[in-house]
Amino acid sequence: EKPEYELRYRLIKSKALRDGFNIPNDALDFVAQNINSNFRELEGAYNKIKNYLLITNEIPTNESIVMIYLILI
């Protein structure tokens, strides 16, 4: 069963806050809208984004999150 959008959005936002990432709301919305199959895939996508940001030391922006999504996910 697919999780509702609001739940997906809250999950990824809470993980970002927990990990100290100030990801713009539009970027969180983009991820929550595009990964809607299940929580494992959403968590996997978040981990890929998080790891990319950690490795590159990049500041999360709408553009960088979309770029990471398109490249890695």
Side-chain angles (χ1 to χ4, degrees):
E1 185 174 319
K2 293 182 180 183
E4 295 292 325
Y5 162 80
E6 190 62 37
L7 189 55
R8 294 190 313 267
Y9 180 88
R10 285 195 322 255
L11 176 75
I12 199 164
K13 183 171 182 105
S14 69
K15 287 185 172 295
L17 290 173
R18 179 198 67 202
D19 293 337
F21 288 105
N22 187 19
I23 298 176
N25 289 335
D26 289 346
L28 295 171
D29 176 64
F30 175 82
V31 175
Q33 289 283 351
N34 285 285
I35 301 182
N36 58 17
S37 57
N38 62 54
F39 285 121
R40 274 196 187 148
E41 285 192 30
L42 183 61
E43 287 186 274
Y46 171 74
N47 286 331
K48 288 178 183 180
I49 291 168
K50 177 183 77 170
N51 290 334
Y52 182 90
L53 292 171
L54 288 171
I55 290 169
T56 62
N57 204 27
E58 193 170 322
I59 296 171
T61 63
N62 292 336
E63 295 78 20
S64 68
I65 299 301
V66 171
M67 186 230 16
I68 295 166
Y69 174 85
L70 294 173
I71 292 172
L72 298 177
I73 300 168

